[in-house]
Amino acid sequence: MSLAIVHSRAQVGVEAPTVTVEAHLANGLPSMALVGLPETAVKESKDRVRSAILNSGFDFPARRITLNLAPADLPKDGGRFDLAIALGILAASGQIPAEGLDTLECLGELALSGAVRPVQGVLPAALAARTAKRMLVVPKANAEEACLASGLPVLAVDHLLEIAAHLNGHTPLQPYQATGLLRETQPYPDLSEVQGQLAAKRALLIAASGGHNLLFTGPPGTGKTLLASRLPGLLPPLDEREALEVAAIHSVASHAPLQHWPQRPFRQPHHSASGPALVGGGSRPQPGEITLAHEGILFLDELPEFDRKVLEVLREPLESGCIVIARARDKVRFPARFQLVAAMNPCPCGYLGDPSGRCRCTPDQIQRYRSKLSGPLLDRIDLHLTVARESTVLHTTPQPGENSARVAAQVAKARQRQVQRQGCANAFLDLPGLRQHCGLSSTDQQWLEQACERLNLSLRAAHRLLKVARTLADLDQVDAIDRRHLGEALQYRPG
């Protein structure tokens, strides 16, 4: 047979569209042409595949070989198609049977010796292969990752000869059995290690319960970063869908290896990060920090030190839960439903309002410092809290108080009420959901409107205040929002 078809998968954002590798052998001068919009790394596969086939003991056809990667308008990059191309050539030349290729999808880069090297973005391809009801052939180094797609038969290979022997029926491969190495988790820092700061711990409880964004303001050394790092340990565990979304994102990000799979991510970019580093980008779009924080925490320490233009790119993702990166040829959509936690000093020196009286900043300096943050961005932060300095007595042993397990149990109860009632956390309620689940009595409605007028709150800020009040009611395990919930929620809005 001079024509063979092998299935594979490309990588576009966190999606894995199908790619059909067609290999055709014809009479004529020996040559090999690769078509179907291949980029440089794919074009170079011709040389890798030739050497891999010869060094594996097969005959390389001395004929005119045409390789087509369909669909033709989808850009293909990387070495992920090497294995599929090699199998297509071997099947078209009759060295392996073509019949068994219909039920397989193949990913893997070939070494010149014929060894199969790992590639990135295997998990999205595995999820797509499971939907297509095909078996997936991957390098052995990627097998654990592919097995996260439960119910998918995975064949793990180290060499081209292994899959060739399987297809020829000489040495059939058994589906890979996952060892669970990627499911090993690390304990989160415990809240009991934070000394004092009862008001800040209360804010963490509210933020975790409703998925609300949080801003800590206070002098250096008051524990703002320490508090923020405890938030992931208070959040409910990821469900199967959320965990697979997070794992798929980290699978396609070459600089973020897939590990500790079921845990929520905690990303802490430095304030020198650029816009593309935060939102993603590049000629071949890669996920940025906000996508790597999907279903987890994005912590921005020293918030005013970030470039203002960089911070402004957070505004749309905070509302929509995704980021769209447009390039000349296409658009790539990355999920970005993260919880923003930020920390900042109250003034350039950091000691405004500190009992020590060390602050010497002028009103103009303070105003310039705070003006680095735009009103629309601050409007999207639900909870604003000033963190005061605690006692300087050093404790070498943990102090009694709330620990993460106890607070996480309260959070789980509140989240369960929200999911049963509306299917999402309170922070993600849309306007119809807000009207349906955050109703107030006429007197409380009038009181809230007057309070918003006095504080000059925008309509967005008023809606977010209502969501916080809804979370406070859920923490109290009551259905109706009352005045005390509104009053506490108002305490977290800057006047």
Side-chain angles (χ1 to χ4, degrees):
M1 183 179 182
S2 60
L3 176 65
I5 297 175
V6 185
H7 301 286
S8 188
R9 295 276 169 182
Q11 179 189 324
V12 180
V14 292
E15 304 296 328
T18 184
V19 171
T20 302
V21 179
E22 301 171 337
H24 178 248
L25 273 59
N27 296 325
L29 293 175
S31 65
M32 184 158 55
L34 183 59
V35 297
L37 210 58
E39 297 189 0
T40 303
V42 183
K43 292 178 181 178
E44 293 171 347
S45 68
K46 295 188 295 183
D47 298 315
R48 292 194 298 271
V49 167
R50 181 193 297 272
S51 296
I53 288 176
L54 292 173
N55 289 323
S56 298
F58 294 104
D59 294 327
F60 192 83
R63 301 176 66 184
R64 181 175 181 177
I65 304 172
T66 303
L67 301 167
N68 180 38
L69 307 183
D73 59 347
L74 178 70
K76 291 90 177 174
D77 55 12
R80 61 197 297 117
F81 304 109
D82 289 5
L83 182 58
I85 291 172
L87 292 178
I89 294 174
L90 293 177
S93 60
Q95 300 181 73
I96 62 173
E99 292 76 18
L101 296 174
D102 295 339
T103 59
L104 299 181
E105 292 189 4
C106 304
L107 293 175
E109 178 182 330
L110 288 177
L112 300 185
S113 63
V116 184
R117 290 173 172 164
V119 295
Q120 68 183 66
V122 165
L123 182 55
L127 295 172
R130 183 178 66 180
T131 302
K133 297 182 179 179
R134 292 195 184 101
M135 190 177 295
L136 185 64
V137 181
V138 296
K140 190 165 287 186
N142 291 127
E144 283 290 325
E145 180 182 335
C147 286
L148 294 181
S150 57
L152 171 71
V154 175
L155 298 182
V157 296
D158 275 329
H159 200 279
L160 177 61
L161 286 172
E162 295 180 18
I163 185 62
H166 170 80
L167 292 170
N168 280 318
H170 298 157
T171 311
L173 295 172
Q174 297 302 315
Y176 183 83
Q177 299 298 320
T179 61
L181 289 176
L182 297 182
R183 296 175 184 261
E184 296 179 355
T185 60
Q186 291 183 337
Y188 292 111
D190 199 272
L191 192 61
S192 62
E193 299 170 356
V194 180
Q195 178 180 331
Q197 300 297 358
L198 297 182
K201 290 178 180 178
R202 173 69 174 173
L204 283 179
L205 169 62
I206 299 169
S209 298
H212 302 291
N213 302 321
L214 174 61
L215 173 62
F216 287 129
T217 305
T222 53
K224 302 185 293 295
T225 303
L226 193 71
L227 286 160
S229 65
R230 269 63 187 167
L231 182 56
L234 310 182
L235 297 174
L238 295 168
D239 60 30
E240 185 75 10
R241 178 192 60 81
E242 294 170 339
L244 285 175
E245 284 184 1
V246 171
I249 290 167
H250 286 256
S251 175
V252 304
S254 57
H255 55 282
L258 182 60
Q259 56 184 350
H260 313 311
W261 170 58
Q263 289 188 296
R264 292 186 183 270
F266 181 84
R267 306 294 300 184
Q268 187 177 354
H270 191 261
H271 59 74
S272 61
S274 64
L278 210 59
V279 303
S283 57
R284 177 192 174 202
Q286 289 288 303
E289 290 292 337
I290 64 173
T291 298
L292 294 172
H294 180 63
E295 299 295 352
I297 307 298
L298 177 67
F299 177 52
L300 302 182
D301 202 2
E302 306 296 343
L303 187 63
E305 301 301 329
F306 283 82
D307 186 88
R308 177 163 177 158
K309 292 181 179 179
V310 172
L311 292 178
E312 293 306 298
V313 302
L314 295 175
R315 287 159 55 175
E316 287 97 2
L318 283 172
E319 293 286 347
S320 64
C322 68
I323 183 73
V324 178
I325 300 174
R327 290 294 177 263
R329 287 186 294 187
D330 55 2
K331 293 181 180 179
V332 178
R333 180 188 178 277
F334 289 112
R337 187 178 290 277
F338 59 92
Q339 191 170 350
L340 176 64
V341 180
M344 61 177 287
N345 295 327
C347 65
C349 76
Y351 293 100
L352 179 66
D354 191 75
S356 65
R358 283 188 278 179
C359 180
R360 295 293 183 267
C361 299
T362 66
D364 285 344
Q365 289 175 322
I366 296 172
Q367 179 60 32
R368 283 197 300 271
Y369 180 75
R370 294 183 176 178
S371 65
K372 294 179 179 180
L373 305 176
S374 69
L377 177 63
L378 293 175
D379 247 5
R380 288 167 167 81
I381 300 179
D382 307 21
L383 305 171
H384 298 246
L385 185 75
T386 299
V387 183
R389 186 179 300 279
E390 290 284 337
S391 168
T392 56
V393 176
L394 297 177
H395 296 280
T396 57
T397 58
Q399 299 301 298
E402 292 283 5
N403 58 31
S404 290
R406 185 179 303 174
V407 176
Q410 294 178 267
V411 170
K413 289 181 180 180
R415 282 286 183 104
Q416 185 177 12
R417 288 178 62 89
Q418 296 164 38
V419 172
Q420 290 176 348
R421 181 180 61 239
Q422 68 221 14
C424 66
N426 289 330
F428 307 126
L429 277 173
D430 55 13
L431 190 55
L434 195 68
R435 290 170 177 166
Q436 182 179 356
H437 304 296
C438 300
L440 302 175
S441 65
S442 57
T443 55
D444 286 345
Q445 179 77 26
Q446 185 178 4
W447 181 86
L448 179 60
E449 290 174 357
Q450 292 173 353
C452 291
E453 287 290 333
R454 288 195 303 270
L455 293 174
N456 294 318
L457 297 183
S458 68
L459 189 58
R460 179 191 287 114
H463 287 166
R464 290 186 175 271
L465 190 151
L466 266 178
K467 294 176 185 180
V468 173
R470 177 68 267 172
T471 299
L472 291 168
D474 290 331
L475 283 169
D476 289 343
Q477 299 290 300
V478 297
D479 294 328
I481 300 173
D482 59 28
R483 187 75 59 87
R484 60 196 169 95
H485 301 135
L486 295 172
E488 184 175 356
L490 275 169
Q491 295 178 12
Y492 297 109
R493 298 305 307 185

